[in-house]
mmCIF file of all heavy atoms in Angstrom:
data_model
loop_
_atom_site.group_PDB
_atom_site.id
_atom_site.type_symbol
_atom_site.label_atom_id
_atom_site.label_comp_id
_atom_site.label_asym_id
_atom_site.label_seq_id
_atom_site.Cartn_x
_atom_site.Cartn_y
_atom_site.Cartn_z
ATOM 1 N N ALA C 4 11.268 5.143 13.381
ATOM 2 C CA ALA C 4 11.891 3.821 13.381
ATOM 3 C C ALA C 4 10.869 2.739 13.027
ATOM 4 O O ALA C 4 11.142 1.857 12.198
ATOM 5 C CB ALA C 4 12.513 3.533 14.746
ATOM 6 N N ALA C 27 0.197 -17.730 -10.780
ATOM 7 C CA ALA C 27 -1.150 -18.191 -10.457
ATOM 8 C C ALA C 27 -2.017 -18.245 -11.715
ATOM 9 O O ALA C 27 -1.767 -17.511 -12.673
ATOM 10 C CB ALA C 27 -1.789 -17.252 -9.426
ATOM 11 N N ALA C 52 3.930 -13.162 5.201
ATOM 12 C CA ALA C 52 4.440 -13.052 6.574
ATOM 13 C C ALA C 52 5.188 -11.742 6.773
ATOM 14 O O ALA C 52 5.020 -11.059 7.793
ATOM 15 C CB ALA C 52 5.346 -14.246 6.890
ATOM 16 N N GLU C 74 2.168 7.851 6.911
ATOM 17 C CA GLU C 74 1.919 7.398 5.540
ATOM 18 C C GLU C 74 3.060 7.739 4.567
ATOM 19 O O GLU C 74 3.458 6.885 3.775
ATOM 20 C CB GLU C 74 0.603 7.975 5.028
ATOM 21 C CG GLU C 74 -0.627 7.322 5.624
ATOM 22 C CD GLU C 74 -0.798 5.878 5.219
ATOM 23 O OE1 GLU C 74 -0.119 5.437 4.277
ATOM 24 O OE2 GLU C 74 -1.617 5.187 5.839
ATOM 25 N N LEU C 146 -12.668 1.919 -9.771
ATOM 26 C CA LEU C 146 -11.445 1.572 -10.500
ATOM 27 C C LEU C 146 -11.369 0.068 -10.771
ATOM 28 O O LEU C 146 -10.950 -0.359 -11.850
ATOM 29 C CB LEU C 146 -10.215 2.023 -9.707
ATOM 30 C CG LEU C 146 -9.983 3.528 -9.614
ATOM 31 C CD1 LEU C 146 -8.840 3.828 -8.656
ATOM 32 C CD2 LEU C 146 -9.689 4.107 -10.990
ATOM 33 N N VAL C 190 -15.649 -1.936 24.035
ATOM 34 C CA VAL C 190 -15.890 -0.813 23.132
ATOM 35 C C VAL C 190 -15.383 -1.143 21.735
ATOM 36 O O VAL C 190 -16.052 -0.870 20.729
ATOM 37 C CB VAL C 190 -15.211 0.471 23.667
ATOM 38 C CG1 VAL C 190 -15.351 1.611 22.662
ATOM 39 C CG2 VAL C 190 -15.809 0.869 25.008
ATOM 40 N N TRP C 195 -17.777 -0.600 14.648
ATOM 41 C CA TRP C 195 -17.708 -1.112 13.276
ATOM 42 C C TRP C 195 -16.303 -1.059 12.692
ATOM 43 O O TRP C 195 -15.991 -1.790 11.747
ATOM 44 C CB TRP C 195 -18.651 -0.318 12.365
ATOM 45 C CG TRP C 195 -18.328 1.159 12.266
ATOM 46 C CD1 TRP C 195 -18.805 2.156 13.062
ATOM 47 C CD2 TRP C 195 -17.458 1.779 11.312
ATOM 48 N NE1 TRP C 195 -18.293 3.368 12.670
ATOM 49 C CE2 TRP C 195 -17.461 3.173 11.602
ATOM 50 C CE3 TRP C 195 -16.698 1.318 10.249
ATOM 51 C CZ2 TRP C 195 -16.717 4.094 10.863
ATOM 52 C CZ3 TRP C 195 -15.945 2.229 9.512
ATOM 53 C CH2 TRP C 195 -15.959 3.602 9.812
ATOM 54 N N GLN C 212 -3.100 -8.727 -5.290
ATOM 55 C CA GLN C 212 -2.573 -9.978 -5.839
ATOM 56 C C GLN C 212 -3.024 -10.168 -7.286
ATOM 57 O O GLN C 212 -2.272 -10.704 -8.113
ATOM 58 C CB GLN C 212 -3.014 -11.169 -4.987
ATOM 59 C CG GLN C 212 -2.544 -11.130 -3.551
ATOM 60 C CD GLN C 212 -1.041 -10.952 -3.392
ATOM 61 O OE1 GLN C 212 -0.254 -11.529 -4.130
ATOM 62 N NE2 GLN C 212 -0.628 -10.136 -2.427
ATOM 63 N N MET C 222 4.492 -2.180 -13.089
ATOM 64 C CA MET C 222 3.218 -1.617 -13.515
ATOM 65 C C MET C 222 2.236 -1.460 -12.361
ATOM 66 O O MET C 222 1.261 -0.717 -12.465
ATOM 67 C CB MET C 222 2.574 -2.515 -14.589
ATOM 68 C CG MET C 222 3.438 -2.739 -15.812
ATOM 69 S SD MET C 222 3.917 -1.206 -16.624
ATOM 70 C CE MET C 222 2.320 -0.555 -17.058
ATOM 71 N N GLN C 231 -1.641 4.800 -1.630
ATOM 72 C CA GLN C 231 -1.860 4.549 -0.205
ATOM 73 C C GLN C 231 -1.595 5.780 0.672
ATOM 74 O O GLN C 231 -2.448 6.139 1.496
ATOM 75 C CB GLN C 231 -1.023 3.363 0.262
ATOM 76 C CG GLN C 231 -1.248 3.015 1.739
ATOM 77 C CD GLN C 231 -0.533 1.737 2.139
ATOM 78 O OE1 GLN C 231 -0.044 0.989 1.287
ATOM 79 N NE2 GLN C 231 -0.470 1.470 3.428
ATOM 80 N N ALA C 263 7.022 15.267 -5.765
ATOM 81 C CA ALA C 263 8.313 14.578 -5.798
ATOM 82 C C ALA C 263 8.166 13.117 -5.386
ATOM 83 O O ALA C 263 8.806 12.228 -5.968
ATOM 84 C CB ALA C 263 9.310 15.287 -4.879
ATOM 85 N N PRO C 292 -8.026 -27.898 -7.916
ATOM 86 C CA PRO C 292 -8.817 -28.722 -8.831
ATOM 87 C C PRO C 292 -10.087 -28.011 -9.222
ATOM 88 O O PRO C 292 -10.703 -27.345 -8.407
ATOM 89 C CB PRO C 292 -9.112 -29.988 -8.011
ATOM 90 C CG PRO C 292 -9.015 -29.530 -6.589
ATOM 91 C CD PRO C 292 -7.958 -28.480 -6.578
#
Side-chain angles (χ1 to χ4, degrees):
E74 286 294 346
L146 290 173
V190 175
W195 61 270
Q212 299 306 320
M222 303 303 299
Q231 182 173 348

